[in-house]
Amino acid sequence: MIITANRLDKSYYLIVTKTITIMKKFISYWDKKLRNDFSFWDLGMLKTYGMIPGLILGALFPDFIMDNLWIFLSVFLVLMFRYLYLLFIKK
């Protein structure tokens, strides 16, 4: 069976348009969810949740971080449990 360029272009076009449609639905779903479920402060704290482990891991064992590691870990855990509560339990 010989596949022509026109047939390949058409199948490629269908795959791309289907992928774009799925991504638009996915993005609009999460956009609505974030707008309805999270306040300005929750979105701001989400950045903090990602920053704290990066600070701990990126520090590469300086004395200040190692001396206060339990404080950083406890702050991270409290904030993460709050985030999980807002995400899954609070309606």
Side-chain angles (χ1 to χ4, degrees):
M1 181 171 138
I2 299 174
I3 299 175
T4 63
N6 188 19
R7 189 172 179 185
L8 284 176
D9 291 340
K10 185 176 181 181
S11 63
Y12 178 74
Y13 175 76
L14 291 174
I15 292 170
V16 169
T17 55
K18 184 70 172 173
T19 304
I20 290 172
T21 304
I22 291 170
M23 289 304 296
K24 283 183 180 179
K25 288 180 183 178
F26 179 76
I27 291 170
S28 67
Y29 168 77
W30 281 105
D31 181 49
K32 289 176 187 173
K33 184 165 178 55
L34 286 175
R35 287 178 191 251
N36 293 335
D37 293 344
F38 293 112
S39 69
F40 173 78
W41 291 106
D42 294 330
L43 293 174
M45 294 305 290
L46 184 61
K47 286 188 173 193
T48 305
Y49 304 148
M51 181 182 66
I52 291 174
L55 286 173
I56 293 170
L57 294 174
L60 296 175
F61 310 109
D63 294 333
F64 176 75
I65 296 296
M66 293 307 290
D67 291 341
N68 299 307
L69 184 62
W70 292 108
I71 294 171
F72 289 121
L73 287 176
S74 59
V75 168
F76 170 72
L77 290 175
V78 168
L79 293 175
M80 185 53 70
F81 280 99
R82 180 181 179 274
Y83 171 69
L84 292 173
Y85 169 75
L86 290 173
L87 187 62
F88 294 113
I89 297 173
K90 186 178 176 184
K91 299 285 179 188

PDB file of all heavy atoms in Angstrom, residues 4-38:
ATOM      1  N   THR A   4       0.204   8.318   0.348  1.00  0.00           N
ATOM      2  CA  THR A   4       0.522   9.579  -0.324  1.00  0.00           C
ATOM      3  C   THR A   4       0.761  10.677   0.697  1.00  0.00           C
ATOM      4  O   THR A   4       0.376  10.567   1.859  1.00  0.00           O
ATOM      5  CB  THR A   4      -0.622   9.988  -1.263  1.00  0.00           C
ATOM      6  OG1 THR A   4      -1.791  10.210  -0.476  1.00  0.00           O
ATOM      7  CG2 THR A   4      -0.894   8.916  -2.295  1.00  0.00           C
ATOM      8  N   ALA A   5       1.385  11.743   0.252  1.00  0.00           N
ATOM      9  CA  ALA A   5       1.668  12.879   1.133  1.00  0.00           C
ATOM     10  C   ALA A   5       0.374  13.531   1.603  1.00  0.00           C
ATOM     11  O   ALA A   5       0.274  13.974   2.748  1.00  0.00           O
ATOM     12  CB  ALA A   5       2.535  13.898   0.407  1.00  0.00           C
ATOM     13  N   ASN A   6      -0.625  13.562   0.744  1.00  0.00           N
ATOM     14  CA  ASN A   6      -1.892  14.176   1.113  1.00  0.00           C
ATOM     15  C   ASN A   6      -2.547  13.411   2.263  1.00  0.00           C
ATOM     16  O   ASN A   6      -3.093  14.000   3.185  1.00  0.00           O
ATOM     17  CB  ASN A   6      -2.820  14.232  -0.102  1.00  0.00           C
ATOM     18  CG  ASN A   6      -4.076  15.027   0.177  1.00  0.00           C
ATOM     19  OD1 ASN A   6      -4.104  15.809   1.120  1.00  0.00           O
ATOM     20  ND2 ASN A   6      -5.087  14.820  -0.630  1.00  0.00           N
ATOM     21  N   ARG A   7      -2.468  12.092   2.212  1.00  0.00           N
ATOM     22  CA  ARG A   7      -3.056  11.268   3.268  1.00  0.00           C
ATOM     23  C   ARG A   7      -2.319  11.473   4.586  1.00  0.00           C
ATOM     24  O   ARG A   7      -2.917  11.530   5.655  1.00  0.00           O
ATOM     25  CB  ARG A   7      -3.017   9.813   2.837  1.00  0.00           C
ATOM     26  CG  ARG A   7      -3.775   8.904   3.726  1.00  0.00           C
ATOM     27  CD  ARG A   7      -3.835   7.540   3.095  1.00  0.00           C
ATOM     28  NE  ARG A   7      -4.543   6.636   3.970  1.00  0.00           N
ATOM     29  CZ  ARG A   7      -4.685   5.365   3.742  1.00  0.00           C
ATOM     30  NH1 ARG A   7      -4.178   4.837   2.645  1.00  0.00           N
ATOM     31  NH2 ARG A   7      -5.323   4.598   4.574  1.00  0.00           N
ATOM     32  N   LEU A   8      -0.997  11.562   4.545  1.00  0.00           N
ATOM     33  CA  LEU A   8      -0.221  11.829   5.759  1.00  0.00           C
ATOM     34  C   LEU A   8      -0.537  13.202   6.336  1.00  0.00           C
ATOM     35  O   LEU A   8      -0.665  13.365   7.550  1.00  0.00           O
ATOM     36  CB  LEU A   8       1.270  11.723   5.465  1.00  0.00           C
ATOM     37  CG  LEU A   8       1.837  10.325   5.311  1.00  0.00           C
ATOM     38  CD1 LEU A   8       3.299  10.400   4.924  1.00  0.00           C
ATOM     39  CD2 LEU A   8       1.674   9.546   6.587  1.00  0.00           C
ATOM     40  N   ASP A   9      -0.643  14.189   5.484  1.00  0.00           N
ATOM     41  CA  ASP A   9      -0.965  15.534   5.947  1.00  0.00           C
ATOM     42  C   ASP A   9      -2.324  15.567   6.629  1.00  0.00           C
ATOM     43  O   ASP A   9      -2.498  16.211   7.659  1.00  0.00           O
ATOM     44  CB  ASP A   9      -0.948  16.527   4.791  1.00  0.00           C
ATOM     45  CG  ASP A   9       0.453  16.768   4.243  1.00  0.00           C
ATOM     46  OD1 ASP A   9       1.417  16.475   4.982  1.00  0.00           O
ATOM     47  OD2 ASP A   9       0.567  17.248   3.112  1.00  0.00           O
ATOM     48  N   LYS A  10      -3.286  14.842   6.081  1.00  0.00           N
ATOM     49  CA  LYS A  10      -4.629  14.828   6.653  1.00  0.00           C
ATOM     50  C   LYS A  10      -4.636  14.129   8.010  1.00  0.00           C
ATOM     51  O   LYS A  10      -5.235  14.617   8.964  1.00  0.00           O
ATOM     52  CB  LYS A  10      -5.604  14.136   5.701  1.00  0.00           C
ATOM     53  CG  LYS A  10      -7.026  14.196   6.165  1.00  0.00           C
ATOM     54  CD  LYS A  10      -7.967  13.592   5.154  1.00  0.00           C
ATOM     55  CE  LYS A  10      -9.401  13.698   5.659  1.00  0.00           C
ATOM     56  NZ  LYS A  10     -10.354  13.113   4.720  1.00  0.00           N
ATOM     57  N   SER A  11      -3.942  13.000   8.133  1.00  0.00           N
ATOM     58  CA  SER A  11      -3.909  12.294   9.414  1.00  0.00           C
ATOM     59  C   SER A  11      -3.142  13.114  10.457  1.00  0.00           C
ATOM     60  O   SER A  11      -3.530  13.150  11.622  1.00  0.00           O
ATOM     61  CB  SER A  11      -3.291  10.910   9.252  1.00  0.00           C
ATOM     62  OG  SER A  11      -1.954  11.008   8.841  1.00  0.00           O
ATOM     63  N   TYR A  12      -2.063  13.749  10.047  1.00  0.00           N
ATOM     64  CA  TYR A  12      -1.313  14.607  10.963  1.00  0.00           C
ATOM     65  C   TYR A  12      -2.183  15.764  11.429  1.00  0.00           C
ATOM     66  O   TYR A  12      -2.203  16.105  12.611  1.00  0.00           O
ATOM     67  CB  TYR A  12      -0.052  15.124  10.265  1.00  0.00           C
ATOM     68  CG  TYR A  12       0.758  16.062  11.119  1.00  0.00           C
ATOM     69  CD1 TYR A  12       1.518  15.586  12.171  1.00  0.00           C
ATOM     70  CD2 TYR A  12       0.742  17.440  10.874  1.00  0.00           C
ATOM     71  CE1 TYR A  12       2.256  16.445  12.962  1.00  0.00           C
ATOM     72  CE2 TYR A  12       1.471  18.300  11.660  1.00  0.00           C
ATOM     73  CZ  TYR A  12       2.227  17.808  12.704  1.00  0.00           C
ATOM     74  OH  TYR A  12       2.941  18.660  13.482  1.00  0.00           O
ATOM     75  N   TYR A  13      -2.918  16.366  10.529  1.00  0.00           N
ATOM     76  CA  TYR A  13      -3.807  17.474  10.862  1.00  0.00           C
ATOM     77  C   TYR A  13      -4.869  17.031  11.867  1.00  0.00           C
ATOM     78  O   TYR A  13      -5.157  17.739  12.829  1.00  0.00           O
ATOM     79  CB  TYR A  13      -4.469  18.016   9.589  1.00  0.00           C
ATOM     80  CG  TYR A  13      -5.499  19.084   9.851  1.00  0.00           C
ATOM     81  CD1 TYR A  13      -5.106  20.374  10.174  1.00  0.00           C
ATOM     82  CD2 TYR A  13      -6.849  18.788   9.794  1.00  0.00           C
ATOM     83  CE1 TYR A  13      -6.051  21.356  10.421  1.00  0.00           C
ATOM     84  CE2 TYR A  13      -7.803  19.757  10.045  1.00  0.00           C
ATOM     85  CZ  TYR A  13      -7.400  21.048  10.357  1.00  0.00           C
ATOM     86  OH  TYR A  13      -8.326  22.011  10.606  1.00  0.00           O
ATOM     87  N   LEU A  14      -5.431  15.842  11.684  1.00  0.00           N
ATOM     88  CA  LEU A  14      -6.449  15.344  12.615  1.00  0.00           C
ATOM     89  C   LEU A  14      -5.866  15.096  14.003  1.00  0.00           C
ATOM     90  O   LEU A  14      -6.497  15.399  15.012  1.00  0.00           O
ATOM     91  CB  LEU A  14      -7.081  14.070  12.057  1.00  0.00           C
ATOM     92  CG  LEU A  14      -7.950  14.242  10.824  1.00  0.00           C
ATOM     93  CD1 LEU A  14      -8.393  12.880  10.304  1.00  0.00           C
ATOM     94  CD2 LEU A  14      -9.147  15.118  11.133  1.00  0.00           C
ATOM     95  N   ILE A  15      -4.664  14.551  14.056  1.00  0.00           N
ATOM     96  CA  ILE A  15      -4.019  14.299  15.345  1.00  0.00           C
ATOM     97  C   ILE A  15      -3.739  15.611  16.067  1.00  0.00           C
ATOM     98  O   ILE A  15      -4.000  15.751  17.266  1.00  0.00           O
ATOM     99  CB  ILE A  15      -2.722  13.491  15.153  1.00  0.00           C
ATOM    100  CG1 ILE A  15      -3.062  12.075  14.691  1.00  0.00           C
ATOM    101  CG2 ILE A  15      -1.896  13.450  16.429  1.00  0.00           C
ATOM    102  CD1 ILE A  15      -1.865  11.278  14.245  1.00  0.00           C
ATOM    103  N   VAL A  16      -3.231  16.581  15.354  1.00  0.00           N
ATOM    104  CA  VAL A  16      -2.896  17.872  15.967  1.00  0.00           C
ATOM    105  C   VAL A  16      -4.152  18.586  16.456  1.00  0.00           C
ATOM    106  O   VAL A  16      -4.185  19.102  17.575  1.00  0.00           O
ATOM    107  CB  VAL A  16      -2.098  18.753  14.975  1.00  0.00           C
ATOM    108  CG1 VAL A  16      -1.970  20.172  15.490  1.00  0.00           C
ATOM    109  CG2 VAL A  16      -0.740  18.151  14.725  1.00  0.00           C
ATOM    110  N   THR A  17      -5.212  18.603  15.657  1.00  0.00           N
ATOM    111  CA  THR A  17      -6.441  19.291  16.075  1.00  0.00           C
ATOM    112  C   THR A  17      -7.085  18.591  17.261  1.00  0.00           C
ATOM    113  O   THR A  17      -7.597  19.249  18.163  1.00  0.00           O
ATOM    114  CB  THR A  17      -7.442  19.397  14.919  1.00  0.00           C
ATOM    115  OG1 THR A  17      -7.698  18.097  14.387  1.00  0.00           O
ATOM    116  CG2 THR A  17      -6.936  20.324  13.841  1.00  0.00           C
ATOM    117  N   LYS A  18      -7.046  17.270  17.313  1.00  0.00           N
ATOM    118  CA  LYS A  18      -7.595  16.530  18.451  1.00  0.00           C
ATOM    119  C   LYS A  18      -6.789  16.822  19.717  1.00  0.00           C
ATOM    120  O   LYS A  18      -7.355  17.032  20.791  1.00  0.00           O
ATOM    121  CB  LYS A  18      -7.584  15.026  18.133  1.00  0.00           C
ATOM    122  CG  LYS A  18      -8.206  14.178  19.182  1.00  0.00           C
ATOM    123  CD  LYS A  18      -9.692  14.381  19.237  1.00  0.00           C
ATOM    124  CE  LYS A  18     -10.311  13.363  20.162  1.00  0.00           C
ATOM    125  NZ  LYS A  18     -11.710  13.589  20.388  1.00  0.00           N
ATOM    126  N   THR A  19      -5.464  16.872  19.586  1.00  0.00           N
ATOM    127  CA  THR A  19      -4.608  17.168  20.731  1.00  0.00           C
ATOM    128  C   THR A  19      -4.865  18.581  21.251  1.00  0.00           C
ATOM    129  O   THR A  19      -4.949  18.799  22.465  1.00  0.00           O
ATOM    130  CB  THR A  19      -3.127  17.015  20.344  1.00  0.00           C
ATOM    131  OG1 THR A  19      -2.925  15.713  19.823  1.00  0.00           O
ATOM    132  CG2 THR A  19      -2.219  17.244  21.535  1.00  0.00           C
ATOM    133  N   ILE A  20      -5.006  19.525  20.357  1.00  0.00           N
ATOM    134  CA  ILE A  20      -5.278  20.904  20.770  1.00  0.00           C
ATOM    135  C   ILE A  20      -6.620  20.996  21.476  1.00  0.00           C
ATOM    136  O   ILE A  20      -6.748  21.685  22.495  1.00  0.00           O
ATOM    137  CB  ILE A  20      -5.213  21.847  19.545  1.00  0.00           C
ATOM    138  CG1 ILE A  20      -3.769  21.967  19.069  1.00  0.00           C
ATOM    139  CG2 ILE A  20      -5.785  23.218  19.882  1.00  0.00           C
ATOM    140  CD1 ILE A  20      -3.620  22.713  17.760  1.00  0.00           C
ATOM    141  N   THR A  21      -7.627  20.308  20.991  1.00  0.00           N
ATOM    142  CA  THR A  21      -8.942  20.311  21.626  1.00  0.00           C
ATOM    143  C   THR A  21      -8.876  19.734  23.036  1.00  0.00           C
ATOM    144  O   THR A  21      -9.451  20.295  23.971  1.00  0.00           O
ATOM    145  CB  THR A  21      -9.943  19.496  20.776  1.00  0.00           C
ATOM    146  OG1 THR A  21      -9.963  20.022  19.461  1.00  0.00           O
ATOM    147  CG2 THR A  21     -11.329  19.552  21.372  1.00  0.00           C
ATOM    148  N   ILE A  22      -8.172  18.629  23.193  1.00  0.00           N
ATOM    149  CA  ILE A  22      -8.037  18.014  24.516  1.00  0.00           C
ATOM    150  C   ILE A  22      -7.301  18.947  25.470  1.00  0.00           C
ATOM    151  O   ILE A  22      -7.699  19.114  26.626  1.00  0.00           O
ATOM    152  CB  ILE A  22      -7.314  16.653  24.391  1.00  0.00           C
ATOM    153  CG1 ILE A  22      -8.210  15.653  23.668  1.00  0.00           C
ATOM    154  CG2 ILE A  22      -6.914  16.121  25.765  1.00  0.00           C
ATOM    155  CD1 ILE A  22      -7.511  14.369  23.290  1.00  0.00           C
ATOM    156  N   MET A  23      -6.232  19.582  25.005  1.00  0.00           N
ATOM    157  CA  MET A  23      -5.474  20.501  25.865  1.00  0.00           C
ATOM    158  C   MET A  23      -6.298  21.721  26.262  1.00  0.00           C
ATOM    159  O   MET A  23      -6.214  22.191  27.394  1.00  0.00           O
ATOM    160  CB  MET A  23      -4.182  20.944  25.171  1.00  0.00           C
ATOM    161  CG  MET A  23      -3.142  19.844  25.061  1.00  0.00           C
ATOM    162  SD  MET A  23      -2.684  19.110  26.646  1.00  0.00           S
ATOM    163  CE  MET A  23      -1.938  20.483  27.459  1.00  0.00           C
ATOM    164  N   LYS A  24      -7.108  22.237  25.348  1.00  0.00           N
ATOM    165  CA  LYS A  24      -7.968  23.374  25.687  1.00  0.00           C
ATOM    166  C   LYS A  24      -8.965  22.997  26.765  1.00  0.00           C
ATOM    167  O   LYS A  24      -9.210  23.769  27.694  1.00  0.00           O
ATOM    168  CB  LYS A  24      -8.699  23.875  24.447  1.00  0.00           C
ATOM    169  CG  LYS A  24      -7.845  24.698  23.529  1.00  0.00           C
ATOM    170  CD  LYS A  24      -8.653  25.215  22.358  1.00  0.00           C
ATOM    171  CE  LYS A  24      -7.804  26.050  21.430  1.00  0.00           C
ATOM    172  NZ  LYS A  24      -8.556  26.551  20.281  1.00  0.00           N
ATOM    173  N   LYS A  25      -9.557  21.801  26.673  1.00  0.00           N
ATOM    174  CA  LYS A  25     -10.496  21.342  27.700  1.00  0.00           C
ATOM    175  C   LYS A  25      -9.793  21.170  29.038  1.00  0.00           C
ATOM    176  O   LYS A  25     -10.319  21.540  30.082  1.00  0.00           O
ATOM    177  CB  LYS A  25     -11.150  20.031  27.272  1.00  0.00           C
ATOM    178  CG  LYS A  25     -12.146  20.178  26.165  1.00  0.00           C
ATOM    179  CD  LYS A  25     -12.743  18.833  25.790  1.00  0.00           C
ATOM    180  CE  LYS A  25     -13.698  18.964  24.624  1.00  0.00           C
ATOM    181  NZ  LYS A  25     -14.247  17.657  24.215  1.00  0.00           N
ATOM    182  N   PHE A  26      -8.596  20.583  29.016  1.00  0.00           N
ATOM    183  CA  PHE A  26      -7.826  20.359  30.231  1.00  0.00           C
ATOM    184  C   PHE A  26      -7.474  21.679  30.913  1.00  0.00           C
ATOM    185  O   PHE A  26      -7.650  21.840  32.123  1.00  0.00           O
ATOM    186  CB  PHE A  26      -6.556  19.578  29.882  1.00  0.00           C
ATOM    187  CG  PHE A  26      -5.657  19.297  31.046  1.00  0.00           C
ATOM    188  CD1 PHE A  26      -5.974  18.314  31.954  1.00  0.00           C
ATOM    189  CD2 PHE A  26      -4.495  20.029  31.223  1.00  0.00           C
ATOM    190  CE1 PHE A  26      -5.151  18.053  33.030  1.00  0.00           C
ATOM    191  CE2 PHE A  26      -3.661  19.782  32.291  1.00  0.00           C
ATOM    192  CZ  PHE A  26      -3.987  18.781  33.199  1.00  0.00           C
ATOM    193  N   ILE A  27      -6.992  22.632  30.145  1.00  0.00           N
ATOM    194  CA  ILE A  27      -6.598  23.930  30.699  1.00  0.00           C
ATOM    195  C   ILE A  27      -7.807  24.689  31.218  1.00  0.00           C
ATOM    196  O   ILE A  27      -7.760  25.290  32.296  1.00  0.00           O
ATOM    197  CB  ILE A  27      -5.820  24.749  29.645  1.00  0.00           C
ATOM    198  CG1 ILE A  27      -4.462  24.101  29.400  1.00  0.00           C
ATOM    199  CG2 ILE A  27      -5.653  26.197  30.085  1.00  0.00           C
ATOM    200  CD1 ILE A  27      -3.713  24.678  28.224  1.00  0.00           C
ATOM    201  N   SER A  28      -8.921  24.672  30.502  1.00  0.00           N
ATOM    202  CA  SER A  28     -10.111  25.396  30.964  1.00  0.00           C
ATOM    203  C   SER A  28     -10.675  24.760  32.233  1.00  0.00           C
ATOM    204  O   SER A  28     -11.162  25.461  33.116  1.00  0.00           O
ATOM    205  CB  SER A  28     -11.173  25.459  29.867  1.00  0.00           C
ATOM    206  OG  SER A  28     -11.679  24.182  29.592  1.00  0.00           O
ATOM    207  N   TYR A  29     -10.596  23.421  32.354  1.00  0.00           N
ATOM    208  CA  TYR A  29     -11.058  22.752  33.570  1.00  0.00           C
ATOM    209  C   TYR A  29     -10.253  23.215  34.780  1.00  0.00           C
ATOM    210  O   TYR A  29     -10.801  23.594  35.813  1.00  0.00           O
ATOM    211  CB  TYR A  29     -10.954  21.231  33.416  1.00  0.00           C
ATOM    212  CG  TYR A  29     -11.143  20.492  34.709  1.00  0.00           C
ATOM    213  CD1 TYR A  29     -12.408  20.311  35.241  1.00  0.00           C
ATOM    214  CD2 TYR A  29     -10.056  19.992  35.416  1.00  0.00           C
ATOM    215  CE1 TYR A  29     -12.588  19.648  36.435  1.00  0.00           C
ATOM    216  CE2 TYR A  29     -10.219  19.328  36.609  1.00  0.00           C
ATOM    217  CZ  TYR A  29     -11.492  19.152  37.118  1.00  0.00           C
ATOM    218  OH  TYR A  29     -11.656  18.499  38.314  1.00  0.00           O
ATOM    219  N   TRP A  30      -8.925  23.200  34.666  1.00  0.00           N
ATOM    220  CA  TRP A  30      -8.080  23.593  35.795  1.00  0.00           C
ATOM    221  C   TRP A  30      -8.166  25.091  36.063  1.00  0.00           C
ATOM    222  O   TRP A  30      -8.048  25.534  37.202  1.00  0.00           O
ATOM    223  CB  TRP A  30      -6.645  23.144  35.582  1.00  0.00           C
ATOM    224  CG  TRP A  30      -6.518  21.694  35.903  1.00  0.00           C
ATOM    225  CD1 TRP A  30      -6.390  20.673  35.028  1.00  0.00           C
ATOM    226  CD2 TRP A  30      -6.581  21.103  37.203  1.00  0.00           C
ATOM    227  NE1 TRP A  30      -6.356  19.479  35.703  1.00  0.00           N
ATOM    228  CE2 TRP A  30      -6.470  19.712  37.035  1.00  0.00           C
ATOM    229  CE3 TRP A  30      -6.716  21.602  38.487  1.00  0.00           C
ATOM    230  CZ2 TRP A  30      -6.491  18.823  38.106  1.00  0.00           C
ATOM    231  CZ3 TRP A  30      -6.738  20.716  39.541  1.00  0.00           C
ATOM    232  CH2 TRP A  30      -6.624  19.347  39.350  1.00  0.00           C
ATOM    233  N   ASP A  31      -8.394  25.887  35.032  1.00  0.00           N
ATOM    234  CA  ASP A  31      -8.566  27.314  35.228  1.00  0.00           C
ATOM    235  C   ASP A  31      -9.819  27.587  36.060  1.00  0.00           C
ATOM    236  O   ASP A  31      -9.788  28.362  37.010  1.00  0.00           O
ATOM    237  CB  ASP A  31      -8.660  28.022  33.873  1.00  0.00           C
ATOM    238  CG  ASP A  31      -8.807  29.519  34.016  1.00  0.00           C
ATOM    239  OD1 ASP A  31      -8.019  30.112  34.785  1.00  0.00           O
ATOM    240  OD2 ASP A  31      -9.699  30.088  33.367  1.00  0.00           O
ATOM    241  N   LYS A  32     -10.915  26.928  35.723  1.00  0.00           N
ATOM    242  CA  LYS A  32     -12.152  27.093  36.504  1.00  0.00           C
ATOM    243  C   LYS A  32     -11.975  26.584  37.919  1.00  0.00           C
ATOM    244  O   LYS A  32     -12.441  27.200  38.874  1.00  0.00           O
ATOM    245  CB  LYS A  32     -13.302  26.358  35.826  1.00  0.00           C
ATOM    246  CG  LYS A  32     -13.765  27.002  34.550  1.00  0.00           C
ATOM    247  CD  LYS A  32     -14.844  26.166  33.886  1.00  0.00           C
ATOM    248  CE  LYS A  32     -15.181  26.716  32.520  1.00  0.00           C
ATOM    249  NZ  LYS A  32     -16.110  25.839  31.790  1.00  0.00           N
ATOM    250  N   LYS A  33     -11.304  25.447  38.077  1.00  0.00           N
ATOM    251  CA  LYS A  33     -11.097  24.883  39.410  1.00  0.00           C
ATOM    252  C   LYS A  33     -10.251  25.810  40.274  1.00  0.00           C
ATOM    253  O   LYS A  33     -10.573  26.041  41.436  1.00  0.00           O
ATOM    254  CB  LYS A  33     -10.440  23.512  39.300  1.00  0.00           C
ATOM    255  CG  LYS A  33     -10.279  22.819  40.635  1.00  0.00           C
ATOM    256  CD  LYS A  33      -9.974  21.367  40.438  1.00  0.00           C
ATOM    257  CE  LYS A  33      -9.765  20.642  41.744  1.00  0.00           C
ATOM    258  NZ  LYS A  33     -10.845  20.763  42.690  1.00  0.00           N
ATOM    259  N   LEU A  34      -9.183  26.344  39.705  1.00  0.00           N
ATOM    260  CA  LEU A  34      -8.337  27.249  40.478  1.00  0.00           C
ATOM    261  C   LEU A  34      -9.067  28.539  40.824  1.00  0.00           C
ATOM    262  O   LEU A  34      -8.938  29.061  41.926  1.00  0.00           O
ATOM    263  CB  LEU A  34      -7.052  27.560  39.716  1.00  0.00           C
ATOM    264  CG  LEU A  34      -6.019  26.447  39.671  1.00  0.00           C
ATOM    265  CD1 LEU A  34      -4.863  26.852  38.774  1.00  0.00           C
ATOM    266  CD2 LEU A  34      -5.523  26.124  41.054  1.00  0.00           C
ATOM    267  N   ARG A  35      -9.836  29.074  39.907  1.00  0.00           N
ATOM    268  CA  ARG A  35     -10.559  30.315  40.177  1.00  0.00           C
ATOM    269  C   ARG A  35     -11.638  30.129  41.226  1.00  0.00           C
ATOM    270  O   ARG A  35     -11.885  31.018  42.030  1.00  0.00           O
ATOM    271  CB  ARG A  35     -11.181  30.857  38.898  1.00  0.00           C
ATOM    272  CG  ARG A  35     -10.180  31.438  37.943  1.00  0.00           C
ATOM    273  CD  ARG A  35     -10.882  31.897  36.681  1.00  0.00           C
ATOM    274  NE  ARG A  35      -9.921  32.207  35.656  1.00  0.00           N
ATOM    275  CZ  ARG A  35      -9.665  33.440  35.253  1.00  0.00           C
ATOM    276  NH1 ARG A  35     -10.299  34.440  35.778  1.00  0.00           N
ATOM    277  NH2 ARG A  35      -8.781  33.650  34.317  1.00  0.00           N
ATOM    278  N   ASN A  36     -12.275  28.966  41.235  1.00  0.00           N
ATOM    279  CA  ASN A  36     -13.371  28.739  42.173  1.00  0.00           C
ATOM    280  C   ASN A  36     -12.899  28.258  43.536  1.00  0.00           C
ATOM    281  O   ASN A  36     -13.504  28.602  44.548  1.00  0.00           O
ATOM    282  CB  ASN A  36     -14.353  27.717  41.596  1.00  0.00           C
ATOM    283  CG  ASN A  36     -15.076  28.253  40.382  1.00  0.00           C
ATOM    284  OD1 ASN A  36     -15.227  29.456  40.221  1.00  0.00           O
ATOM    285  ND2 ASN A  36     -15.516  27.359  39.522  1.00  0.00           N
ATOM    286  N   ASP A  37     -11.860  27.454  43.589  1.00  0.00           N
ATOM    287  CA  ASP A  37     -11.458  26.814  44.834  1.00  0.00           C
ATOM    288  C   ASP A  37     -10.352  27.534  45.589  1.00  0.00           C
ATOM    289  O   ASP A  37     -10.210  27.344  46.782  1.00  0.00           O
ATOM    290  CB  ASP A  37     -11.006  25.376  44.566  1.00  0.00           C
ATOM    291  CG  ASP A  37     -12.154  24.503  44.100  1.00  0.00           C
ATOM    292  OD1 ASP A  37     -13.317  24.899  44.279  1.00  0.00           O
ATOM    293  OD2 ASP A  37     -11.884  23.426  43.551  1.00  0.00           O
ATOM    294  N   PHE A  38      -9.555  28.344  44.911  1.00  0.00           N
ATOM    295  CA  PHE A  38      -8.404  28.944  45.562  1.00  0.00           C
ATOM    296  C   PHE A  38      -8.506  30.458  45.564  1.00  0.00           C
ATOM    297  O   PHE A  38      -8.899  31.065  44.569  1.00  0.00           O
ATOM    298  CB  PHE A  38      -7.101  28.547  44.847  1.00  0.00           C
ATOM    299  CG  PHE A  38      -6.787  27.088  44.969  1.00  0.00           C
ATOM    300  CD1 PHE A  38      -6.833  26.262  43.874  1.00  0.00           C
ATOM    301  CD2 PHE A  38      -6.458  26.549  46.190  1.00  0.00           C
ATOM    302  CE1 PHE A  38      -6.551  24.923  43.976  1.00  0.00           C
ATOM    303  CE2 PHE A  38      -6.169  25.208  46.312  1.00  0.00           C
ATOM    304  CZ  PHE A  38      -6.218  24.387  45.209  1.00  0.00           C
TER     305      PHE A  38
END
